[in-house]
Amino acid sequence: MKMKDLRKKIRRLEKRLREGSQKLAELKRSLEAAEAVKALKAARKSFARAAAARIAEARKPAAGKAKRKLNLSPERRAQLAAAMKARWAAKRAAEASAVEPSAQPPTLRGL
């Protein structure tokens, strides 16, 4: 092989190696940047979850007194049930009477 051809091949090989190392460095930099972005997103997500958990904890009602169970006799319980049923029936009747006038079709006056 001629000297000129050998020099040319060596020059091309050196150029390819130099460009390859630059490309490798560039790929490594982009990989590091992508990892940093991923870590940042994970940290934000973790912080958001922790904040949401703290908010949910704050919204929970404080453990107050337990609801007292009424110690009623069966007669008193029946009496209260009857009173509530009467109250609910009166409420339904009042609602029905209030709705009835508007449910009637309008009359034609002056014909």
Side-chain angles (χ1 to χ4, degrees):
M1 201 180 265
K2 293 182 183 176
M3 292 278 273
K4 186 177 180 184
D5 292 338
L6 278 174
R7 283 191 186 116
K8 197 183 268 187
K9 281 191 174 192
I10 291 170
R11 207 175 13 205
R12 286 180 185 159
L13 184 60
E14 285 174 345
K15 182 181 177 188
R16 192 167 60 224
L17 288 173
R18 200 170 44 246
E19 287 174 355
S21 65
Q22 288 173 352
K23 191 162 193 165
L24 177 64
E26 185 181 324
L27 288 173
K28 282 185 179 179
R29 279 194 303 269
S30 65
L31 176 65
E32 287 174 5
E35 286 175 346
V37 167
K38 186 177 180 182
L40 184 64
K41 281 185 180 178
R44 282 184 184 163
K45 202 174 203 180
S46 174
F47 180 76
R49 280 189 188 139
R54 277 191 235 114
I55 290 170
E57 188 68 31
R59 286 186 180 169
K60 282 185 182 176
K65 293 181 184 177
K67 197 170 182 181
R68 227 180 80 201
K69 184 177 179 185
L70 295 177
N71 207 5
L72 296 175
S73 66
E75 295 85 17
R76 180 63 179 148
R77 189 177 300 277
Q79 186 183 10
L80 285 174
M84 292 304 290
K85 285 180 184 175
R87 185 185 295 173
W88 294 333
K91 186 178 176 185
R92 278 195 300 272
E95 287 175 355
S97 66
V99 172
E100 260 182 47
S102 63
Q104 293 176 351
T107 58
L108 298 175
R109 293 185 190 175
L111 285 179

PDB file of all heavy atoms in Angstrom, residues 1 3 14 26 28 35-36 38 55-56 58 60 63 76 81 84 90 98:
ATOM      1  N   MET A   1       0.844  -1.173   0.000  1.00  0.00           N
ATOM      2  CA  MET A   1       0.000   0.000   0.000  1.00  0.00           C
ATOM      3  C   MET A   1       0.896   1.246   0.000  1.00  0.00           C
ATOM      4  O   MET A   1       1.948   1.252   0.636  1.00  0.00           O
ATOM      5  CB  MET A   1      -0.880  -0.034   1.248  1.00  0.00           C
ATOM      6  CG  MET A   1      -2.102   0.811   1.100  1.00  0.00           C
ATOM      7  SD  MET A   1      -3.119   0.749   2.561  1.00  0.00           S
ATOM      8  CE  MET A   1      -4.271  -0.506   2.133  1.00  0.00           C
ATOM      9  N   MET A   3       2.194   5.080   0.694  1.00  0.00           N
ATOM     10  CA  MET A   3       2.261   5.918   1.895  1.00  0.00           C
ATOM     11  C   MET A   3       1.101   6.915   1.938  1.00  0.00           C
ATOM     12  O   MET A   3       0.519   7.150   2.997  1.00  0.00           O
ATOM     13  CB  MET A   3       3.580   6.693   1.916  1.00  0.00           C
ATOM     14  CG  MET A   3       4.785   5.831   2.108  1.00  0.00           C
ATOM     15  SD  MET A   3       5.002   5.478   3.825  1.00  0.00           S
ATOM     16  CE  MET A   3       5.956   6.877   4.296  1.00  0.00           C
ATOM     17  N   GLU A  14      -8.678   8.499  12.480  1.00  0.00           N
ATOM     18  CA  GLU A  14      -8.560   9.438  13.600  1.00  0.00           C
ATOM     19  C   GLU A  14      -9.779  10.357  13.678  1.00  0.00           C
ATOM     20  O   GLU A  14     -10.291  10.638  14.755  1.00  0.00           O
ATOM     21  CB  GLU A  14      -7.282  10.271  13.464  1.00  0.00           C
ATOM     22  CG  GLU A  14      -6.027   9.508  13.802  1.00  0.00           C
ATOM     23  CD  GLU A  14      -4.767  10.317  13.528  1.00  0.00           C
ATOM     24  OE1 GLU A  14      -4.843  11.349  12.822  1.00  0.00           O
ATOM     25  OE2 GLU A  14      -3.701   9.903  14.005  1.00  0.00           O
ATOM     26  N   GLU A  26     -21.613  13.546  24.072  1.00  0.00           N
ATOM     27  CA  GLU A  26     -22.915  14.200  23.910  1.00  0.00           C
ATOM     28  C   GLU A  26     -24.044  13.293  24.398  1.00  0.00           C
ATOM     29  O   GLU A  26     -24.965  13.738  25.105  1.00  0.00           O
ATOM     30  CB  GLU A  26     -23.119  14.557  22.440  1.00  0.00           C
ATOM     31  CG  GLU A  26     -24.381  15.343  22.157  1.00  0.00           C
ATOM     32  CD  GLU A  26     -24.546  15.638  20.674  1.00  0.00           C
ATOM     33  OE1 GLU A  26     -23.529  15.884  19.989  1.00  0.00           O
ATOM     34  OE2 GLU A  26     -25.692  15.615  20.212  1.00  0.00           O
ATOM     35  N   LYS A  28     -23.790  10.898  26.615  1.00  0.00           N
ATOM     36  CA  LYS A  28     -23.692  10.809  28.074  1.00  0.00           C
ATOM     37  C   LYS A  28     -24.311  12.034  28.738  1.00  0.00           C
ATOM     38  O   LYS A  28     -25.009  11.925  29.747  1.00  0.00           O
ATOM     39  CB  LYS A  28     -22.228  10.655  28.503  1.00  0.00           C
ATOM     40  CG  LYS A  28     -21.688   9.259  28.313  1.00  0.00           C
ATOM     41  CD  LYS A  28     -20.280   9.148  28.864  1.00  0.00           C
ATOM     42  CE  LYS A  28     -19.736   7.751  28.702  1.00  0.00           C
ATOM     43  NZ  LYS A  28     -18.355   7.625  29.211  1.00  0.00           N
ATOM     44  N   GLU A  35     -31.842  11.803  33.239  1.00  0.00           N
ATOM     45  CA  GLU A  35     -31.928  11.243  34.586  1.00  0.00           C
ATOM     46  C   GLU A  35     -32.246  12.322  35.609  1.00  0.00           C
ATOM     47  O   GLU A  35     -33.009  12.103  36.537  1.00  0.00           O
ATOM     48  CB  GLU A  35     -30.620  10.529  34.942  1.00  0.00           C
ATOM     49  CG  GLU A  35     -30.453   9.210  34.232  1.00  0.00           C
ATOM     50  CD  GLU A  35     -29.090   8.573  34.495  1.00  0.00           C
ATOM     51  OE1 GLU A  35     -28.185   9.265  35.002  1.00  0.00           O
ATOM     52  OE2 GLU A  35     -28.952   7.383  34.185  1.00  0.00           O
ATOM     53  N   ALA A  36     -31.660  13.509  35.436  1.00  0.00           N
ATOM     54  CA  ALA A  36     -31.930  14.611  36.354  1.00  0.00           C
ATOM     55  C   ALA A  36     -33.391  15.033  36.278  1.00  0.00           C
ATOM     56  O   ALA A  36     -34.041  15.272  37.303  1.00  0.00           O
ATOM     57  CB  ALA A  36     -31.017  15.796  36.031  1.00  0.00           C
ATOM     58  N   LYS A  38     -35.890  13.143  35.339  1.00  0.00           N
ATOM     59  CA  LYS A  38     -36.689  12.060  35.924  1.00  0.00           C
ATOM     60  C   LYS A  38     -36.657  12.131  37.447  1.00  0.00           C
ATOM     61  O   LYS A  38     -37.687  11.973  38.113  1.00  0.00           O
ATOM     62  CB  LYS A  38     -36.149  10.714  35.445  1.00  0.00           C
ATOM     63  CG  LYS A  38     -36.980   9.524  35.858  1.00  0.00           C
ATOM     64  CD  LYS A  38     -36.439   8.245  35.284  1.00  0.00           C
ATOM     65  CE  LYS A  38     -37.276   7.057  35.701  1.00  0.00           C
ATOM     66  NZ  LYS A  38     -36.737   5.803  35.190  1.00  0.00           N
ATOM     67  N   ILE A  55     -52.880  17.088  53.788  1.00  0.00           N
ATOM     68  CA  ILE A  55     -54.168  17.787  53.644  1.00  0.00           C
ATOM     69  C   ILE A  55     -55.308  16.872  54.048  1.00  0.00           C
ATOM     70  O   ILE A  55     -56.228  17.266  54.769  1.00  0.00           O
ATOM     71  CB  ILE A  55     -54.349  18.297  52.199  1.00  0.00           C
ATOM     72  CG1 ILE A  55     -53.373  19.444  51.932  1.00  0.00           C
ATOM     73  CG2 ILE A  55     -55.772  18.739  51.947  1.00  0.00           C
ATOM     74  CD1 ILE A  55     -53.288  19.854  50.481  1.00  0.00           C
ATOM     75  N   ALA A  56     -55.241  15.617  53.600  1.00  0.00           N
ATOM     76  CA  ALA A  56     -56.295  14.660  53.952  1.00  0.00           C
ATOM     77  C   ALA A  56     -56.317  14.430  55.456  1.00  0.00           C
ATOM     78  O   ALA A  56     -57.400  14.317  56.057  1.00  0.00           O
ATOM     79  CB  ALA A  56     -56.064  13.343  53.219  1.00  0.00           C
ATOM     80  N   ALA A  58     -55.405  16.575  57.705  1.00  0.00           N
ATOM     81  CA  ALA A  58     -55.924  17.780  58.348  1.00  0.00           C
ATOM     82  C   ALA A  58     -57.436  17.876  58.205  1.00  0.00           C
ATOM     83  O   ALA A  58     -58.122  18.425  59.074  1.00  0.00           O
ATOM     84  CB  ALA A  58     -55.264  19.011  57.739  1.00  0.00           C
ATOM     85  N   LYS A  60     -59.534  15.416  58.223  1.00  0.00           N
ATOM     86  CA  LYS A  60     -60.252  14.420  59.013  1.00  0.00           C
ATOM     87  C   LYS A  60     -60.792  15.083  60.274  1.00  0.00           C
ATOM     88  O   LYS A  60     -60.084  15.855  60.915  1.00  0.00           O
ATOM     89  CB  LYS A  60     -59.323  13.265  59.409  1.00  0.00           C
ATOM     90  CG  LYS A  60     -59.072  12.280  58.321  1.00  0.00           C
ATOM     91  CD  LYS A  60     -58.240  11.129  58.848  1.00  0.00           C
ATOM     92  CE  LYS A  60     -57.931  10.133  57.752  1.00  0.00           C
ATOM     93  NZ  LYS A  60     -57.042   9.075  58.235  1.00  0.00           N
ATOM     94  N   ALA A  63     -61.073  13.238  66.528  1.00  0.00           N
ATOM     95  CA  ALA A  63     -61.806  12.195  67.247  1.00  0.00           C
ATOM     96  C   ALA A  63     -62.431  12.830  68.486  1.00  0.00           C
ATOM     97  O   ALA A  63     -61.762  13.105  69.476  1.00  0.00           O
ATOM     98  CB  ALA A  63     -60.871  11.066  67.626  1.00  0.00           C
ATOM     99  N   ARG A  76     -91.057   3.825  75.010  1.00  0.00           N
ATOM    100  CA  ARG A  76     -90.636   5.174  74.626  1.00  0.00           C
ATOM    101  C   ARG A  76     -90.122   5.175  73.187  1.00  0.00           C
ATOM    102  O   ARG A  76     -90.373   6.101  72.429  1.00  0.00           O
ATOM    103  CB  ARG A  76     -89.535   5.661  75.588  1.00  0.00           C
ATOM    104  CG  ARG A  76     -89.020   7.037  75.280  1.00  0.00           C
ATOM    105  CD  ARG A  76     -90.079   8.104  75.420  1.00  0.00           C
ATOM    106  NE  ARG A  76     -89.507   9.409  75.138  1.00  0.00           N
ATOM    107  CZ  ARG A  76     -90.167  10.412  74.602  1.00  0.00           C
ATOM    108  NH1 ARG A  76     -91.458  10.300  74.343  1.00  0.00           N
ATOM    109  NH2 ARG A  76     -89.574  11.554  74.377  1.00  0.00           N
ATOM    110  N   ALA A  81     -91.006   6.743  67.564  1.00  0.00           N
ATOM    111  CA  ALA A  81     -91.163   6.320  66.171  1.00  0.00           C
ATOM    112  C   ALA A  81     -92.498   6.807  65.621  1.00  0.00           C
ATOM    113  O   ALA A  81     -92.572   7.293  64.482  1.00  0.00           O
ATOM    114  CB  ALA A  81     -91.071   4.801  66.078  1.00  0.00           C
ATOM    115  N   MET A  84     -92.301  10.574  64.939  1.00  0.00           N
ATOM    116  CA  MET A  84     -91.533  10.886  63.729  1.00  0.00           C
ATOM    117  C   MET A  84     -92.319  10.543  62.475  1.00  0.00           C
ATOM    118  O   MET A  84     -92.315  11.297  61.498  1.00  0.00           O
ATOM    119  CB  MET A  84     -90.202  10.120  63.739  1.00  0.00           C
ATOM    120  CG  MET A  84     -89.223  10.577  64.815  1.00  0.00           C
ATOM    121  SD  MET A  84     -88.852  12.326  64.744  1.00  0.00           S
ATOM    122  CE  MET A  84     -87.908  12.399  63.264  1.00  0.00           C
ATOM    123  N   ALA A  90     -96.987  14.573  57.837  1.00  0.00           N
ATOM    124  CA  ALA A  90     -97.433  15.967  57.734  1.00  0.00           C
ATOM    125  C   ALA A  90     -96.574  16.732  56.729  1.00  0.00           C
ATOM    126  O   ALA A  90     -97.084  17.541  55.947  1.00  0.00           O
ATOM    127  CB  ALA A  90     -97.363  16.631  59.105  1.00  0.00           C
ATOM    128  N   ALA A  98     -98.730  21.963  48.353  1.00  0.00           N
ATOM    129  CA  ALA A  98     -98.033  23.105  47.764  1.00  0.00           C
ATOM    130  C   ALA A  98     -97.799  22.880  46.281  1.00  0.00           C
ATOM    131  O   ALA A  98     -97.794  23.829  45.496  1.00  0.00           O
ATOM    132  CB  ALA A  98     -96.710  23.333  48.471  1.00  0.00           C
TER     133      ALA A  98
END
